[in-house]
């Protein structure tokens, strides 16, 4: 067994891992990146964010073509070539991951196609993709091994008709009847894709509403559209049993909906769990939470002073952009800088149709915290740009501190909400108040104006929404 040495080793090549490795290399550090894939990318690029957004782009195009009938333009139903669509998705993935591979070489990062487990707090046991074993001693390490789909044992049956989010993205075929188990963002995004391609999609969620964690007024707008595109959304309902009959998956439902129904395929999307097993953490002083996340401090340092953890394995929210920024923080800490991961806001986006996005404090969180807030909502029916798009179903909301008028949170539902939410995140990070947004001149006619007009509503002066003056 050969033995090597490394100054900084990064375990995991996803958005957190490669961002950390690249930033460290830019700072002049000697970096080794360990990941079994040929090129960095992780779940996000290979099996998550990127392939799903490629398919969602196509889904949006199909939906808009169908809506064009309302504007006097009629297209025939699309002839969908699944093989070509899959090839397009794979091409996007290959181009992005290939580009990261080039950056690895340009930055002179030592990339090992392998898996790693800790022998102790200074040594890794390495197994490459061909089964060859070696050891690697290191000074500092960053763990960025990500997460994987969680599937209850009851759903783990031997059937290719039952998919998780990874296998669903393979787009093997378009089932006539599809059930999504779980009303979170991954399930709704996959449901949006398959519904546009022709599947009759049903969603079952054991909680009272879809997208738990998002404000109900925003979810209401999205669900109104999904109710039209999906066959059904069954709330307060759980799946008690699934069985492959040879002709489909027979599903037993219990709750507000009580019945048995057979579907051609089922996607299980009930959450993700951290990849903290098989890392040899028991050979170190690293501690885990009861949910399997690695315990870290504000610099992303574990209970081992020389080992850091970032991304999904280090706790929620499990978001690629959060992982990338944590990677930067960890490298800064390793470099001896005074740093901490303490963002005022981390944006979240659900790429359905319409998009739903939020950042900072939500109204639901404020209620739980019993915190005084002021809320303003601007309906997109009053937006000139949304009218030209025939998409007046949107809503922009601001959550303001009533005393300082500081922006605490923002929520948007509507086309392009994911592109707009960044302005809200910047406002929160810069401690902007409602007046700052109100007085910032936005281009007309654009959807970004809705942020300005929502701020205007704080003061009762929105140009495009009339509010009678209150009688004294």
């Amino acid at each position: 067994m050969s033995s090597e040495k490394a100054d900084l080793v990064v375990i995991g090549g996803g958005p957190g891992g490669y961002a950390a490795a690249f930033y460290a290399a830019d700072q002049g550090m000697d970096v080794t990146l360990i990941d079994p894939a040929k090129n960095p990318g992780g779940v996000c690029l290979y099996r998550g964010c990127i392939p799903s957004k490629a398919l969602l782009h196509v889904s949006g195009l199909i939906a808009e073509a169908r809506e064009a009938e309302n504007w006097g333009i009629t297209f025939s139903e699309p002839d969908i070539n699944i093989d070509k669509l899959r090839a397009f998705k794979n091409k996007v993935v290959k181009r992005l991951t290939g580009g990261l591979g080039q950056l690895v070489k340009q930055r002179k990062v030592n990339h090992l196609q392998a898996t790693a487990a800790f022998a102790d707090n200074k040594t890794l046991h390495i197994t490459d993709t061909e089964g060859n074993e070696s050891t690697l001693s290191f000074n500092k390490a960053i763990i960025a091994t990500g997460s994987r789909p969680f599937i209850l044992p009851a759903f783990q049956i031997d059937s290719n008709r039952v998919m998780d989010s990874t296998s669903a993205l393979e787009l093997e075929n378009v089932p006539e009847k599809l059930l999504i188990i779980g009303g979170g963002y991954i399930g709704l995004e996959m449901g949006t894709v398959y519904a546009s391609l022709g599947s009759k999609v049903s969603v079952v969620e054991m909680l009272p509403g879809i997208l738990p964690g998002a404000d109900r007024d925003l979810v209401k707008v999205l669900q109104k559209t999904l109710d039209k595109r999906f066959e059904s959304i069954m709330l307060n309902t759980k799946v008690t049993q699934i069985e492959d009959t040879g002709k489909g998956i027979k599903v037993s439902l219990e709750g507000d909906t009580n019945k048995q129904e057979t579907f051609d395929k089922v996607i299980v999307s009930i959450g993700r769990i951290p990849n903290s097993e098989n890392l040899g953490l028991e050979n170190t002083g690293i501690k885990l939470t009861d949910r399997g996340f690695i315990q870290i401090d504000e610099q992303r340092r574990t209970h081992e002073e020389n080992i850091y953890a970032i991304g999904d394995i280090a706790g929620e929210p499990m978001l690629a952009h959060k992982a990338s920024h944590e990677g930067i923080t960890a490298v800064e800490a390793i470099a001896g800088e005074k740093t901490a991961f303490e963002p005022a806001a981390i944006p979240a986006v659900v790429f359905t149709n319409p998009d739903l996005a939020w950042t900072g404090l939500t109204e639901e969180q404020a209620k739980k915290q019993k915190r005084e807030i002021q809320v303003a909502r601007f309906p997109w029916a009053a937006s000139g740009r949304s009218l030209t798009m025939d998409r007046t179903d949107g809503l922009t909301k601001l959550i303001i501190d009533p005393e300082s008028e500081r922006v605490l949170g923002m929520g948007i539902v509507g086309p392009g909400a994911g592109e707009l939410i960044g302005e809200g995140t910047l406002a929160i990070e810069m401690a902007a108040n409602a007046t700052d947004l109100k007085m910032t001149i936005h281009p007309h006619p654009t959807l970004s104006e809705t942020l300005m007009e929502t701020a205007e509503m704080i003061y009762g002066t929105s140009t495009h929404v009339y509010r009678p003056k209150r009688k004294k």
Side-chain angles (χ1 to χ4, degrees):
M1 183 182 293
S2 62
S3 180
E4 298 181 22
K5 292 184 178 181
D7 185 17
L8 170 63
V9 60
V10 179
I11 308 169
Y18 75 71
F22 290 177
Y23 186 68
D26 290 344
Q27 305 309 306
M29 298 183 190
D30 175 36
V31 183
T32 295
L33 176 63
I34 302 174
D35 190 273
K38 179 181 178 181
N39 294 310
V43 169
C44 179
L45 268 68
Y46 281 101
R47 301 174 294 280
C49 318
I50 296 303
S52 66
K53 300 318 167 283
L55 295 178
L56 283 161
H57 171 71
V58 174
S59 171
L61 179 64
I62 293 172
E64 191 165 17
R66 288 170 177 159
E67 292 165 4
E69 186 176 348
N70 300 326
W71 319 322
I73 302 173
T74 302
F75 297 97
S76 59
E77 276 298 302
D79 180 13
I80 299 171
N81 185 324
I82 290 296
D83 291 337
K84 198 167 184 178
L85 178 55
R86 190 187 308 111
F88 162 68
K89 176 207 66 169
N90 292 340
K91 180 181 178 182
V92 171
V93 171
K94 185 177 180 180
R95 181 171 180 177
L96 283 172
T97 56
L100 290 174
Q102 290 297 316
L103 290 173
V104 165
K105 295 174 182 176
Q106 290 170 353
R107 285 184 160 94
K108 295 180 173 55
V109 171
N110 179 29
H111 178 207
L112 302 180
Q113 268 190 263
T115 57
F118 289 93
D120 54 46
N121 66 347
K122 286 284 189 177
T123 312
L124 286 169
H125 182 88
I126 307 296
T127 305
D128 70 19
T129 52
E130 295 181 355
N132 301 312
E133 298 182 354
S134 60
T135 60
L136 178 69
S137 59
F138 62 89
N139 292 323
K140 304 284 186 180
I142 297 175
I143 305 172
T145 49
S147 64
R148 65 186 184 277
F150 172 63
I151 299 183
L152 290 168
F155 301 153
Q156 294 177 359
I157 65 174
D158 185 18
S159 173
N160 60 6
R161 295 178 184 270
V162 178
M163 305 179 287
D164 59 18
S165 58
T166 300
S167 52
L169 283 168
E170 290 301 316
L171 210 64
E172 180 182 317
N173 56 38
V174 180
E176 182 178 348
K177 288 183 64 178
L178 174 67
L179 177 68
I180 310 284
I181 302 178
Y185 74 96
I186 295 176
L188 296 182
E189 287 182 357
M190 293 312 305
T192 298
V193 169
Y194 276 91
S196 69
L197 296 177
S199 293
K200 295 178 180 177
V201 176
S202 297
V203 175
V204 57
E205 169 58 56
M206 65 184 297
L207 296 175
I210 58 174
L211 291 178
D215 282 342
R216 295 301 92 188
D217 53 354
L218 302 174
V219 173
K220 184 179 179 181
V221 176
L222 172 60
Q223 184 164 345
K224 187 176 180 180
T225 299
L226 295 182
D227 283 338
K228 297 175 183 176
R229 293 179 178 161
F230 292 176
E231 284 292 298
S232 64
I233 298 177
M234 298 168 281
L235 303 174
N236 290 309
T237 302
K238 62 181 180 180
V239 176
T240 58
Q241 186 178 8
I242 61 175
E243 177 188 355
D244 192 333
T245 65
K247 295 183 178 180
I249 301 294
K250 185 169 70 174
V251 180
S252 299
L253 301 168
E254 185 179 289
D256 284 2
T257 301
N258 285 284
K259 64 177 180 179
Q260 283 189 337
E261 189 171 354
T262 299
F263 297 87
D264 296 298
K265 285 197 172 183
V266 172
I267 298 176
V268 180
S269 179
I270 55 176
R272 300 184 65 84
I273 55 176
N275 292 325
S276 49
E277 301 94 342
N278 304 316
L279 286 176
L281 299 182
E282 67 278 4
N283 299 321
T284 71
I286 294 172
K287 297 181 181 180
L288 301 177
T289 69
D290 55 1
R291 294 180 58 194
F293 295 114
I294 293 177
Q295 294 182 22
I296 52 174
D297 64 14
E298 68 279 359
Q299 291 187 322
R300 314 293 92 176
R301 184 184 287 107
T302 70
H303 282 81
E304 289 283 5
E305 192 170 321
N306 65 317
I307 302 176
Y308 297 70
I310 61 173
D312 289 4
I313 200 170
E316 295 180 329
M318 294 185 178
L319 298 169
H321 42 281
K322 171 250 191 185
S324 297
H325 280 262
E326 284 184 311
I328 302 301
T329 299
V331 171
E332 288 175 341
I334 289 169
E337 298 180 27
K338 292 184 178 179
T339 186
F341 184 76
E342 46 187 9
I346 301 176
V349 183
V350 184
F351 293 89
T352 42
N353 185 1
D355 291 356
L356 191 153
W358 67 93
T359 188
L361 184 71
T362 67
E363 194 171 359
E364 294 289 315
Q365 289 172 334
K367 288 177 182 177
K368 290 179 182 179
Q369 297 172 13
K370 296 181 179 179
R371 182 170 182 173
E372 286 292 322
I373 57 171
Q374 184 178 354
V375 181
R377 299 175 179 85
F378 182 83
W380 283 22
S383 161
R385 183 67 181 110
S386 67
L387 282 164
T388 67
M389 299 167 62
D390 197 20
R391 292 301 300 267
T392 58
D393 52 340
L395 177 72
T396 300
K397 69 183 291 186
L398 274 178
I399 297 172
I400 304 293
D401 181 277
E403 292 188 8
S404 66
E405 298 181 352
R406 179 175 171 178
V407 178
L408 302 176
M410 179 181 288
I412 309 172
V413 59
E419 306 295 336
L420 298 172
I421 201 66
E423 183 176 341
T425 307
L426 179 63
I428 296 167
E429 286 289 351
M430 295 189 69
N433 57 34
T435 301
D436 294 322
L437 279 180
K438 180 174 78 79
M439 295 184 67
T440 299
I441 299 175
H442 289 66
H444 175 78
T446 63
L447 296 176
S448 68
E449 286 178 295
T450 66
L451 280 64
M452 175 185 69
E453 299 220 42
T454 309
E456 290 178 346
M457 293 189 75
I458 294 290
Y459 307 99
T461 60
S462 178
T463 302
H464 296 103
V465 175
Y466 174 65
R467 280 186 169 185
K469 290 185 178 179
R470 295 179 182 176
K471 295 182 180 180
K472 295 182 179 179

